[in-house]
Amino acid sequence: MRKKIAAGNWKMNMLVHEVDQYIHDMTNVNDNAEVIIGAPSIYLQRLLDLKPKGIKIAAQDVSIHDKGAYTGEISAAMLHAMGVDAAIIGHSERRLYHHETDELIGLKVQQCLSNRVIPIYCCGETLAQRQANDQEKVVEEQVLTALSALTAEQMTEVVIAYEPVWAIGTGVTASNDQAEEMHAFIRKCLEKQWNAEVAQSVRILYGGSVNPQNADGLFACPNVDGGLVGGASLKANDFMSIIISAAK
Ligand code: PGA
């Protein structure tokens, strides 16, 4: 049984007093789901200090380097030493605005794995690629380019987030069928590249305009193991409602 995950991605939102209020409002986090909050790095220590019960803390990026003269970067070793549990890697906004390639993203995933930080690896096609019916080809290539150097054992530690770019922040969600189809396809790729055990154990989250209204339907799909949630994770009540959907 794969435990479902409700992961929030705050992106570059929230001021510090809002962070405090949010955690104060996060009452009754249901532990039938794994709950993760991906926060701007400046708030990681704050969140760790607030020790929200039942919530794992994630960074939104990590360096490809171990340490050294890389101004502005944060290493996976630093995250682990602080007690940060996970990192969102290769989000489409980093691919777009920071020109991250799958090769680079693969190095970041490896940094996470070497330092016991759970990598949440993001992939997904653009609108033009979906319209050309290339979504499977694109996502397979992303996953294999970034992750194929990993051993089966390492791969079971990775969380994949399938996030069609056309659904991110647009209010347009993939239908349950579209999400299920792509998640089943990704699982098939995992089986082909690694083995059936890897395919069955890796959690694959859906991301892209998940909200309290559509979470139940999406998370009920057999191959959808929860969600990576942007906009709707910014309000504690909405996120708690999504956590309840993941805990069902
Ligand atoms: P959204 O963002 O839920 O606001 O669409 C999801 C994401 O980018 O992870």
Side-chain angles (χ1 to χ4, degrees):
M1 251 306 260
R2 297 182 297 267
K3 189 169 186 177
K4 289 205 174 81
I5 299 177
N9 177 7
W10 285 356
K11 308 190 181 184
M12 197 177 74
N13 291 295
M14 306 279 237
L15 296 176
V16 66
H17 68 278
E18 295 169 314
V19 173
D20 293 347
Q21 185 64 47
Y22 186 101
I23 296 305
H24 178 262
D25 292 343
M26 287 293 283
T27 48
N28 280 329
V29 172
N30 191 319
D31 62 9
N32 287 329
E34 199 169 316
V35 179
I36 304 176
I37 290 177
S41 52
I42 194 169
Y43 298 140
L44 293 174
Q45 183 65 64
R46 188 88 175 189
L47 287 169
L48 291 164
D49 289 346
L50 289 168
K51 289 196 182 58
K53 203 169 152 281
I55 300 179
K56 292 193 161 113
I57 307 301
Q60 297 178 1
D61 186 29
V62 74
S63 174
I64 61 168
H65 302 290
D66 290 330
K67 62 176 181 174
Y70 302 102
T71 302
E73 297 255 69
I74 294 174
S75 73
M78 290 174 185
L79 292 177
H80 176 69
M82 296 255 305
V84 173
D85 305 281
I88 299 167
I89 303 293
H91 190 278
S92 65
E93 287 148 16
R94 295 213 58 88
R95 292 172 185 264
L96 180 65
Y97 304 132
H98 301 271
H99 314 291
E100 293 196 5
T101 62
D102 273 299
E103 286 80 3
L104 178 108
I105 293 162
L107 296 175
K108 294 185 173 191
V109 169
Q110 298 208 21
Q111 280 291 334
C112 287
L113 292 171
S114 306
N115 290 285
R116 282 175 287 158
V117 173
I118 302 163
I120 304 173
Y121 167 76
C122 304
C123 57
E125 79 285 358
T126 62
L127 181 60
Q129 289 163 335
R130 165 71 59 168
Q131 283 168 340
N133 203 27
D134 279 341
Q135 60 274 14
E136 292 191 349
K137 190 173 120 221
V138 168
V139 169
E140 180 169 23
E141 200 175 303
Q142 289 175 332
V143 169
L144 294 185
T145 308
L147 306 179
S148 62
L150 304 183
T151 63
E153 198 184 343
Q154 286 178 313
M155 195 55 213
T156 57
E157 305 296 318
V158 176
V159 173
I160 295 179
Y162 167 64
E163 299 205 303
V165 179
W166 47 270
I168 296 178
T170 57
V172 180
T173 319
S175 67
N176 298 342
D177 288 349
Q178 284 173 320
E180 172 58 20
E181 190 176 64
M182 286 304 289
H183 283 230
F185 172 75
I186 293 168
R187 228 175 269 294
K188 238 174 25 195
C189 298
L190 300 182
E191 179 160 1
K192 202 162 68 175
Q193 180 66 27
W194 287 277
N195 56 47
E197 198 189 319
V198 168
Q200 282 317 308
S201 59
V202 169
R203 268 106 39 105
I204 308 178
L205 313 184
Y206 168 79
S209 299
V210 174
N211 61 41
Q213 287 73 44
N214 60 28
D216 265 354
L218 286 161
F219 299 173
C221 298
N223 283 295
V224 176
D225 305 313
L228 179 56
V229 187
S233 76
L234 294 175
K235 290 204 179 101
N237 277 338
D238 286 351
F239 191 47
M240 277 194 293
S241 154
I242 291 167
I243 293 168
I244 290 167
S245 299
K248 282 181 183 165

